[in-house]
């Protein structure tokens, strides 16, 4: 008996549910089949039912919900971190765009570009805007990165980095050679350039520097300066990359040349005339030219007769006398091994003899 009266109740409920469904299904205006193709017309009332107050504007902008309540072009589009899908109103398609802004909250992270970001979102957004990958580095490098790196500390850092690479990666017969041999130094710096430039595009960016810092364990050694300071001091054109030239400059590699036939140059001057001795050592970013006579630096002596060294480093003797005869040598500051010898010959005044 108990069973017999319970069943009709159930049936009655089922019927009322069916009527409700029919009521929803019948007034299908455009009767578009849904994605599964079951031909169940309009989807719209269900959506309306879910969002009683209409479709939230945020969902519409994001394209999760199309403008009639149909699934929007962004519904299943995942754009990745720092981006979101936006409906292009001309094409009706969903497009990935960089986030306009992040929710402001402060949970700083270090980016592989050596910068400190307010939070993860800001990092990914920056990465999107700049169009290159910035990863989160799990170290505190960038927290310490500030303006405390002085030039003297920076030089010390570079010397340490050179020595470290010299020890780790150069053949033992070359150890220390970079200190006074330009060819050896260039060899070492070329090797470093290759190691630093992980993606082999001929330039070094912050994320590559960050990798070197990690790989070589450099983050702990230097309290005030980090390898990122290479970008601060040596990124001359400010494009956030180090070119080969900038890298060479950073590590004092100068490709100086002196043609063999100019190793010795003879200049003959008459007493009372002026003389200009030009140093034939050339090279991009050539350090200042130093002149020596009898093992004495002339640049720092305040001589009255030899007081103009010109923009190009040439030696200028205002009024030559016989005391100026002899050898002068020039070299680029710091590279004494490559020098040019100028021999100055002085003729006595020619007397015109009347007969
Ligand atoms: C000057 O230099 C030339 C070339 O190196 C050398 O032959 C000559 O002996 C030098 N003269 C003096 C006085 O040092």
């Amino acid at each position: 008996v108990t069973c017999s009266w319970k069943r009709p109740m159930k049936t009655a409920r089922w019927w009322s549910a069916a009527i409700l469904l029919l009521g929803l299904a019948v007034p299908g205006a455009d009767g578009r089949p849904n994605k599964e193709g079951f031909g169940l017309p309009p989807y719209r009332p269900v959506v309306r039912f879910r969002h009683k107050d209409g479709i939230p504007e945020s969902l519409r902008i994001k394209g999760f919900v199309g403008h009639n309540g149909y699934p929007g072009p962004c519904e299943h589009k995942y754009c990745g971190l720092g981006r979101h899908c936006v409906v292009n109103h001309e094409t009706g398609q969903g497009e990935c765009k960089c986030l306009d802004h992040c929710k402001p909250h402060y949970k700083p992270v270090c980016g592989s570009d050596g910068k400190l970001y307010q939070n993860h979102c800001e990092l990914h957004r920056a990465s999107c805007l700049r169009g290159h990958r910035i990863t989160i580095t799990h170290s505190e490098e960038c927290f310490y990165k500030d303006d405390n790196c002085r030039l003297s500390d920076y030089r010390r850092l570079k010397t340490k980095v050179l020595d470290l690479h010299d020890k780790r990666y150069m053949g033992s017969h070359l150890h220390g050679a970079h200190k006074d041999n330009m060819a050896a130094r260039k060899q070492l710096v070329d090797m470093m350039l290759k190691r630093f430039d992980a993606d082999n595009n001929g330039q070094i960016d912050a994320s590559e520097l960050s990798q070197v810092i990690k790989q070589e364990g450099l983050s702990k050694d230097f309290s005030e300066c980090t390898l990122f300071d290479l970008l601060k001091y040596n990124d001359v054109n400010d494009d956030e990359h180090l070119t080969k030239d900038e890298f060479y400059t950073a590590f004092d590699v100068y490709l100086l040349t002196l043609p063999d036939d100019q190793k010795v140059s003879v200049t003959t001057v008459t007493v009372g005339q002026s003389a200009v001795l030009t140093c034939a050592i050339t090279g991009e970013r050539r350090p200042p030219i130093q002149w020596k006579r009898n093992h004495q630096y002339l640049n720092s002596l305040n001589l009255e007769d030899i007081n103009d060294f010109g923009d190009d480093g040439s030696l200028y003797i205002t009024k030559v006398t016989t005391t100026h005869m002899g050898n002068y040598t020039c070299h680029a500051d710091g590279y004494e091994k490559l020098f040019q010898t100028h021999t100055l010959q002085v003729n006595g005044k020619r007397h015109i003899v009347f007969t």
Side-chain angles (χ1 to χ4, degrees):
V1 181
T2 347
C3 287
S4 64
W5 73 262
K6 251 192 180 170
R7 223 168 245 161
M9 269 299 286
K10 217 175 182 178
T11 316
R13 263 196 216 147
W14 187 87
W15 271 108
S16 54
I19 289 163
L20 188 69
L21 273 172
L22 275 170
L24 291 175
V26 168
D30 46 6
R32 214 182 280 180
N34 71 6
K35 261 182 280 177
E36 284 77 23
F38 288 151
L40 274 180
Y43 199 76
R44 189 184 345 177
V46 182
V47 175
R48 246 192 220 148
F49 181 72
R50 268 208 249 140
H51 303 285
K52 276 182 189 149
D53 308 322
I55 299 152
E57 194 55 24
S58 62
L59 285 184
R60 202 193 290 283
I61 290 166
K62 283 180 180 161
F64 289 139
V65 179
H67 131 112
N68 293 321
Y70 290 100
C74 283
E75 192 184 35
H76 295 295
K77 201 171 170 78
Y78 177 64
C79 289
L81 298 164
R83 296 162 192 274
H84 63 166
C85 180
V86 176
V87 179
N88 181 325
H89 289 293
E90 274 166 37
T91 63
Q93 301 291 306
E95 287 175 5
C96 290
K97 289 270 164 67
C98 300
L99 287 173
D100 298 314
H101 51 82
C102 293
K103 274 183 199 156
H105 72 275
Y106 191 68
K107 192 171 174 257
V109 287
C110 283
S112 52
D113 58 350
K115 293 204 172 108
L116 184 71
Y117 291 93
Q118 295 258 310
N119 50 55
H120 286 66
C121 175
E122 290 289 1
L123 180 144
H124 294 303
R125 181 172 170 263
S127 168
C128 175
L129 288 172
R130 269 183 251 145
H132 65 80
R133 225 166 94 84
I134 302 171
T135 53
I136 295 165
T137 59
H138 296 281
S139 66
E140 316 87 82
E141 285 143 25
C142 72
F143 294 107
Y144 295 120
K145 187 180 180 278
D146 49 31
D147 288 328
N148 289 336
C149 176
R150 303 223 187 103
L151 211 51
S152 55
D153 292 325
Y154 179 56
R155 290 214 185 90
R156 212 167 311 143
L157 164 77
K158 290 193 294 183
T159 306
K160 281 193 180 183
V161 172
L162 278 172
D163 289 345
L164 182 146
H165 283 83
D166 182 38
K167 256 185 225 136
R168 284 187 190 167
Y169 306 109
M170 298 301 273
S172 56
H173 62 290
L174 282 170
H175 283 178
H178 68 277
K179 287 187 177 115
D180 49 29
N181 179 326
M182 184 49 68
R185 177 179 283 254
K186 182 172 180 296
Q187 202 180 340
L188 172 62
V189 173
D190 278 337
M191 181 275 292
M192 284 165 55
L193 189 68
K194 226 179 207 170
R195 290 190 66 84
F196 280 43
D197 184 16
D199 66 3
N200 202 24
N201 70 345
Q203 298 197 328
I204 294 161
D205 62 21
S207 86
E208 287 169 333
L209 289 175
S210 146
Q211 279 183 44
V212 175
I213 292 170
K214 238 180 269 168
Q215 281 167 7
E216 308 299 341
L218 288 169
S219 53
K220 299 283 184 295
D221 298 17
F222 314 108
S223 51
E224 303 298 344
C225 297
T226 75
L227 274 190
F228 291 127
D229 287 305
L230 284 170
L231 287 171
K232 190 170 108 192
Y233 284 112
N234 287 103
D235 178 20
V236 179
N237 63 0
D238 235 2
D239 67 347
E240 303 198 7
H241 288 79
L242 288 173
T243 62
K244 187 177 175 178
D245 273 355
E246 287 166 345
F247 199 73
Y248 277 169
T249 308
F251 290 101
D252 299 324
V253 174
Y254 301 102
L255 305 171
L256 301 174
T257 55
L258 175 63
D260 272 348
D261 62 354
Q262 292 188 45
K263 287 202 164 137
V264 178
S265 165
V266 180
T267 308
T268 307
V269 189
T270 304
V271 167
Q273 290 183 332
S274 60
V276 181
L277 306 182
T278 301
C279 194
I281 294 171
T282 56
E284 266 180 69
R285 309 175 311 277
R286 182 188 69 180
I289 294 296
Q290 298 287 337
W291 286 92
K292 277 208 281 195
R293 189 186 183 190
N294 300 328
H295 307 288
Q296 210 171 16
Y297 281 105
L298 300 176
N299 300 63
S300 51
L301 300 175
N302 267 326
L303 300 175
E304 251 177 46
D305 47 346
I306 310 175
N307 57 6
D308 190 342
F309 292 91
D311 284 343
D312 63 348
S314 53
L315 182 82
Y316 186 77
I317 304 172
T318 46
K319 203 172 178 189
V320 173
T321 67
T322 47
T323 58
H324 295 119
M325 278 199 298
N327 284 347
Y328 298 77
T329 65
C330 64
H331 64 263
D333 195 13
Y335 302 93
E336 290 190 39
K337 296 225 163 134
L338 185 69
F339 64 89
Q340 184 189 23
T341 304
H342 282 265
T343 302
L344 186 68
Q345 295 178 345
V346 179
N347 288 335
K349 268 202 174 108
R350 280 159 211 261
H351 298 280
I352 301 166
V353 181
F354 294 96
T355 52

